[in-house]
Amino acid sequence: GDSVTQMEGPVTLSEEAFLTINCTYTATGYPSLFWYVQYPGEGLQLLLKATKADDKGSNKGFEATYRKETTSFHLEKGSVQVSDSAVYFCALRKRAAGNKLTFGGGTRVLVKP
Amino acid sequence: NAGVMQNPRHLVRRRGQEARLRCSPMKGHSHVYWYRQLPEEGLKFMVYLQKENIIDESGMPKERFSAEFPKEGPSILRIQQVVRGDSAAYFCASSRGGTSFGTDTQYFGPGTRLTVL
């Protein structure tokens, strides 16, 4: 079945450091790919998405490029802030599977001042 | 415009009791999804509903769990005779539906954290 694998956390960084969170997927066909962010005590918020190969999603300084050849959708940010401390989830969705999202295990990021 | 509302935010039940979780979708949204997040794990899909219809319940345990989304009122996820293994965070999401597949974004509620003693 479909699956998403993320790097395990926690990832601890200093402010203004570069952040990369790896995400790879296994799925047949052409899924849409998503990054969601969960701040402490809150629900998930959509951070960015890409619906086809080579698309780049971007939002709030975060970027991720849909790489079909490596089945990856790595999340990057050039300069993190303390407010970026959260849990980040990579997810996929396939039209053939209805509208349900398949999530990775999540990566906790802690940014220290 | 209020987001997806879930209540209660925290629910404590003893083994054998019933848990009832409520979800009010965003205004204008007619599709609801329930996901479960076990401790230290990612979210797992449970069920997808439209008004008065269950579209996909492939992720829902066959016994003790049920979901509904009536014509009026919130969506309800019901867990009968709860066991300790049901302790988890249950998230509801809603979407507008009726749009192209690529743009029907799911918006998540804050979740209900169920603890079974």
Side-chain angles (χ1 to χ4, degrees):
Chain A
D2 300 339
S3 66
V4 176
T5 302
Q6 293 179 234
M7 60 188 289
E8 288 192 20
V11 174
T12 303
L13 302 164
S14 297
E15 216 167 11
E16 300 184 1
F18 185 87
L19 171 67
T20 298
I21 304 176
N22 290 340
C23 170
T24 58
Y25 68 89
T26 300
T28 57
Y30 301 92
S32 295
L33 301 174
F34 304 81
W35 276 101
Y36 279 83
V37 58
Q38 184 180 29
Y39 298 104
E42 298 183 13
L44 278 70
Q45 301 176 22
L46 178 64
L47 183 57
L48 52 84
K49 68 179 182 182
T51 58
K52 61 182 186 295
D54 299 324
D55 268 1
K56 178 186 283 188
S58 61
N59 186 27
K60 299 181 181 179
F62 290 89
E63 292 184 342
T65 301
Y66 188 166
R67 302 285 188 199
K68 188 160 178 64
E69 64 276 14
T70 54
T71 61
S72 65
F73 193 53
H74 304 322
L75 182 68
E76 297 181 336
K77 185 173 185 182
S79 177
V80 293
Q81 305 299 314
V82 172
S83 57
D84 292 325
S85 297
V87 180
Y88 293 81
F89 292 94
C90 186
L92 68 81
R93 188 182 72 189
K94 285 192 333 188
R95 183 187 295 274
N99 209 18
K100 66 184 178 187
L101 291 161
T102 299
F103 285 91
T107 302
R108 185 177 300 277
V109 172
L110 177 61
V111 181
K112 295 185 175 179
Chain B
N1 186 15
V4 178
M5 310 282 283
Q6 289 188 249
N7 67 81
R9 294 290 304 273
H10 300 274
L11 182 61
V12 179
R13 286 286 179 267
R14 296 190 180 281
R15 281 179 295 170
Q17 292 184 319
E18 178 179 285
R20 191 173 294 209
L21 289 62
R22 294 176 181 75
C23 169
S24 297
M26 286 178 67
K27 186 177 181 181
H29 286 193
S30 59
H31 296 212
V32 166
Y33 317 80
W34 287 93
Y35 295 85
R36 177 166 65 175
Q37 183 179 28
L38 294 170
E40 305 304 319
E41 293 188 16
L43 281 74
K44 298 286 196 293
F45 168 79
M46 298 182 74
V47 62
Y48 166 29
L49 310 104
Q50 295 177 22
K51 286 282 187 182
E52 300 184 283
N53 284 306
I54 296 175
I55 305 303
D56 180 356
E57 56 182 348
S58 59
M60 197 128 84
K62 294 287 186 284
E63 297 180 354
R64 301 187 298 108
F65 285 73
S66 63
E68 63 177 10
F69 187 18
K71 186 176 180 181
E72 301 290 338
S75 175
I76 306 286
L77 178 67
R78 183 184 301 161
I79 311 172
Q80 296 178 301
Q81 300 176 330
V82 297
V83 300
R84 288 220 173 107
D86 297 332
S87 294
Y90 292 82
F91 289 95
C92 168
S94 72
S95 70
R96 185 175 298 277
T99 61
S100 68
F101 176 75
T103 58
D104 196 23
T105 299
Q106 293 182 29
Y107 295 86
F108 283 78
T112 293
R113 280 152 182 83
L114 172 66
T115 301
V116 179
L117 302 177

